[in-house]
Amino acid sequence: MKQRHLVIAFIVALAAAWSLLQPFTITLLCYIGLYALVAVGLVMLTGVGGMTSFGQAAFVGLGAYATAWICTSPTAAEWLGFLPKGVYPWIGLVLGLLVTALIAWALGAVTLRLSGHYLPLGTIAWGLSLYYIFGNLQTLGGFTGITDIPPLTLFGFSMESPRVLGVLIWALLLLAIWALHNLLHSREGRAIRALKSGRLMAESMGVDTARHRIKLFVLAALLAAVSGWLYAHMQRFVNPTPFNLNIGIEYLFMAVVGGAGYLWGAVLGATLITLLKEELQDALPKLLGASGNFEVIVFGLLMLLVLQRAADGLWPVLAGWMRRFIQAEPAHKLVAGGGAVQLDQRQLPPAGQEILKADKVTKRFAGLVANNEVDMTVKAGEIHALIGPNGAGKSTFFNMISGVDDPTDGSVSLMGKPMRGHPSREFAALGLGRTFQHVRLLGERSVLDNVALGAHRRGHRGWVASMLRLDRAEEAAVLAEAMRQIERCGLGAVADTAAASLPLGQQRIVEIARALAGQPAILLLDEPAAGLRHLEKQSLAALLRQLREEGLAILVVEHDMEFVMNLADRITVLEFGTVIAHGTPAEVQADARVIAAYLGGDMA
Ligand code: ADP
Ligand code: MG
């Protein structure tokens, strides 16, 4: 059985039971659907994207108030007088989405720059302010709210009854889950998954992470606004209370309890919290002999318990149990049909052409000069090695020439273009591929998925196309290209394996495959042979030689001298940030300063 079959079974069961359920159960299901619509946005934003928001309730409010205003205000009636009344709610929806997108984009542009705990604090701030704005605007009825909101109608058909409106709610929820699932399993989805823990890495693969963060933020806000729109037409009445910070925390709670990284976790979380709230609101006042919102305290304790016991929420526990019945799609099936679309191809420059030039690159960290006027040129079709003792400044130099950091002084040019001040994704765009000394992979994702991120820039399908599965041919081509590089690097047997479960040496090779998937003109490798066994080093050397034959420029930092001396065409030696020697392996090995730097020890 596939996961798809399970989802279909769930939908069929829900549909079959729908007309038989008690009105009370239907109302409860409507609320669960509304909450899940918000929570699923939070799963994307917080669980997948790593941005915590306590303020989603405010976006629900925007969606609700927009339609409430359109449907009841005399001003709106004046403007829209020529239209039938039944159209107003739909105009309310459009207005709600527009206003929400605009406000979310503006808020995101300000708050998403905040790092660490400041982002959640920022969301609390705007969650509170939007609540008070709703309460203090007289056109929105102040804290009393707006009454007499009409029910939804579609082609003259009234959706007043929860049993009818519920169908729309759940249809929209399932549609959202379908679209988000598609998005997560696409080229853009790989970039989104990297936002949480791999931003620096993703930028080096050519991903504009700031842009993806804003888009994700707006997407989550839009889902909340749709929920608010439905809510307003279900309640037929809005006031600021359901959009306050408390409820914002509850939404986050649903996403976290359900399973912050899993779309269906939102449905699970919304169900559990809604049912629990029902029970607690009855039971707690009786138990405690006083009335009040005591359930908030119970929720808080419960959240602590879940985070202690099942940090990823409850969905993975359930999914682990279901996995016994579900088959995953193997990589080779995803790759099938990869020939239909051509990915972007790069014309490699002729051998001998200068690809990268560092001119007097200097980097100071406070008092420390990590790079001191380092000159280097790397040409197409050559392997250039950068060696030096620990702390000599090799990794710092890599960061200078790959756009991760800017030199304090001096200049770097790539393909003849001056690159000072350009972000690393523009280096990637010009053909620079790199690996990291401290491996940066998405550990829980498969090797195939990790390598495919390297080909990000070679595809073009965006978020909407991915959601609607219009990207399938391109996605197959991206995966096929990733698979080619995986096989070429000798990792074919582990393509479906989670990257973190490989030995560290192999993870380094995965990083090389990822860099190759971007079809680079120059490859920067920071200690690629560390952790490899002898035979693995030999096959790595063979691969690098083959890449050199194909015309790549390769710059490698490596401690294994035997590996370097047998492989490199030219070597630059760094000590205390300064170049102390430069030349062929034979020249460098004979250099007195180099021998002194290495104490004559391991230069053999
Ligand atoms: P290598 O890769 O050759 O071992 P690095 O480039 O990592 O050396 O480090 C060179 C020197 O710069 C070291 O003394 C290191 O402590 C220092 N250094 C590196 N990065 C930073 C940083 N972000 N802030 C302060 N000092 C740094
Ligand atoms: Mg280093």
Side-chain angles (χ1 to χ4, degrees):
M1 192 161 69
K2 305 248 170 62
Q3 191 182 344
R4 195 177 334 131
H5 300 143
L6 211 65
V7 173
I8 292 171
F10 170 76
I11 296 173
V12 168
L14 188 68
W18 197 255
S19 61
L20 307 173
L21 294 170
Q22 298 291 326
F24 173 74
T25 315
I26 290 287
T27 308
L28 215 55
L29 276 170
C30 286
Y31 279 112
I32 291 174
L34 291 177
Y35 293 148
L37 207 49
V38 185
V40 82
L42 270 175
V43 162
M44 292 295 289
L45 185 69
T46 306
V48 180
M51 291 165 273
T52 306
S53 167
F54 290 102
Q56 292 312 99
F59 294 130
V60 182
L62 286 177
Y65 269 106
T67 196
W69 183 80
I70 285 277
C71 292
T72 60
S73 129
T75 321
E78 239 172 69
W79 293 346
L80 302 173
F82 60 99
L83 286 169
K85 284 278 176 202
V87 180
Y88 284 31
W90 300 94
I91 296 177
L93 174 63
V94 174
L95 178 74
L97 292 176
L98 283 178
V99 170
T100 305
L102 217 69
I103 293 187
W105 187 83
L107 284 173
V110 179
T111 37
L112 294 185
R113 291 208 192 134
L114 305 176
S115 56
H117 296 307
Y118 292 108
L119 171 62
L121 287 179
T123 67
I124 290 176
W126 54 251
L128 279 175
S129 18
L130 281 179
Y131 168 75
Y132 283 109
I133 290 174
F134 294 141
N136 286 304
L137 277 182
Q138 283 320 306
T139 28
L140 298 183
F143 283 98
T144 347
I146 300 177
T147 50
D148 295 328
I149 302 170
L152 282 182
T153 55
L154 187 57
F155 307 118
F157 178 70
S158 165
M159 299 188 156
E160 184 168 2
S161 138
R163 207 177 287 273
V164 179
L165 187 63
V167 173
L168 179 65
I169 293 174
W170 275 83
L172 288 176
L173 172 63
L174 292 170
L175 190 70
I177 292 178
W178 176 76
L180 295 176
H181 174 89
N182 293 339
L183 177 62
L184 280 177
H185 292 83
S186 73
R187 160 183 175 272
E188 299 285 62
R190 276 187 292 275
I192 292 171
R193 286 186 200 274
L195 296 178
K196 192 169 177 176
S197 59
R199 287 182 69 192
L200 190 147
M201 174 275 288
E203 286 278 334
S204 295
M205 301 301 133
V207 177
D208 187 342
T209 57
R211 197 179 144 86
H212 275 82
R213 271 159 67 94
I214 286 249
K215 281 167 90 168
L216 200 54
F217 187 72
V218 171
L219 178 69
L222 289 177
L223 286 166
V226 171
S227 172
W229 173 72
L230 291 163
Y231 172 87
H233 292 289
M234 188 166 100
Q235 289 282 317
R236 319 271 303 275
F237 158 73
V238 292
N239 71 359
T241 314
F243 314 124
N244 70 15
L245 192 60
N246 265 0
I247 311 293
I249 294 173
E250 257 176 54
Y251 283 128
L252 188 61
F253 190 41
M254 289 174 192
V256 171
V257 167
Y262 304 84
L263 297 173
W264 285 101
V267 181
L268 181 66
T271 310
L272 289 179
I273 301 297
T274 310
L275 295 180
L276 197 69
K277 209 168 147 178
E278 270 308 300
E279 293 298 316
L280 290 177
Q281 272 170 350
D282 286 346
L284 279 182
K286 281 189 204 142
L287 207 67
L288 299 168
S291 59
N293 291 339
F294 299 119
E295 70 272 8
V296 176
I297 299 168
V298 178
F299 283 173
L301 293 176
L302 203 75
M303 175 123 90
L304 280 181
L305 194 76
V306 169
L307 290 178
Q308 288 264 318
R309 291 289 151 137
D312 291 334
L314 298 176
W315 182 258
V317 180
L318 197 67
W321 175 77
M322 285 194 298
R323 205 157 293 141
R324 279 184 246 169
F325 313 106
I326 294 176
Q327 296 167 331
E329 300 264 0
H332 60 85
K333 277 192 89 170
L334 301 171
V335 166
V341 168
Q342 182 81 341
L343 297 179
D344 286 4
Q345 301 291 328
R346 193 187 310 283
Q347 197 72 45
L348 284 186
Q353 182 172 319
E354 193 175 283
I355 305 288
L356 182 92
K357 184 174 173 64
D359 191 20
K360 292 198 169 49
V361 164
T362 297
K363 181 67 180 179
R364 292 190 200 92
F365 293 116
L368 181 102
V369 186
N371 285 164
N372 181 19
E373 303 203 338
V374 179
D375 289 331
M376 181 182 286
T377 53
V378 187
K379 295 183 180 140
E382 75 163 6
I383 299 180
H384 196 127
L386 177 63
I387 66 171
N390 261 329
K394 306 180 295 293
S395 293
T396 303
F397 185 68
F398 260 38
N399 287 342
M400 298 300 115
I401 58 175
S402 61
V404 170
D405 206 351
D406 262 329
T408 319
D409 271 313
S411 65
V412 173
S413 58
L414 183 63
M415 300 288 187
K417 292 199 173 67
M419 297 303 289
R420 195 187 176 84
H422 290 261
S424 55
R425 62 175 182 275
E426 287 176 27
F427 285 68
L430 284 175
L432 184 138
R434 70 166 297 183
T435 67
F436 297 89
Q437 180 178 353
H438 303 288
V439 173
R440 291 177 190 260
L441 293 168
L442 302 180
E444 286 168 21
R445 309 301 302 169
S446 69
V447 167
L448 179 68
D449 222 17
N450 271 286
V451 173
L453 182 59
H456 183 83
R457 285 203 57 270
R458 299 176 63 190
H460 300 284
R461 289 304 193 145
W463 284 40
V464 175
S466 302
M467 286 185 192
L468 300 175
R469 291 181 74 80
L470 300 174
D471 66 328
R472 289 296 98 184
E474 184 187 89
E475 174 66 2
V478 168
L479 292 177
E481 170 67 10
M483 204 62 199
R484 248 195 311 282
Q485 301 304 340
I486 286 171
E487 271 159 9
R488 175 185 211 185
C489 294
L491 295 167
V494 293
D496 285 329
T497 311
S501 60
L502 298 180
L504 201 58
Q506 268 193 336
Q507 293 189 27
R508 292 184 185 286
I509 307 294
V510 175
E511 286 216 331
I512 296 178
R514 182 178 63 192
L516 289 177
Q519 210 190 30
I522 177 167
L523 197 54
L524 307 189
L525 307 175
D526 202 346
E527 306 203 12
L532 293 188
R533 284 171 296 205
H534 186 65
L535 279 178
E536 291 171 329
K537 280 186 189 177
Q538 284 185 339
S539 46
L540 173 61
L543 173 67
L544 297 184
R545 284 196 187 97
Q546 191 201 333
L547 293 172
R548 168 173 64 189
E549 290 314 306
E550 290 171 17
L552 251 77
I554 300 174
L555 176 61
V556 53
V557 164
E558 186 47 62
H559 279 299
D560 184 326
M561 284 307 141
E562 192 192 333
F563 183 85
V564 168
M565 295 302 165
N566 286 327
L567 187 67
D569 301 302
R570 286 192 299 145
I571 299 180
T572 298
V573 188
L574 216 53
E575 192 190 26
F576 299 122
T578 307
V579 175
I580 57 169
H582 175 87
T584 63
E587 287 165 3
V588 164
Q589 271 170 301
D591 188 288
R593 285 181 71 187
V594 176
I595 293 171
Y598 279 84
L599 293 170
D602 49 3
M603 288 298 290

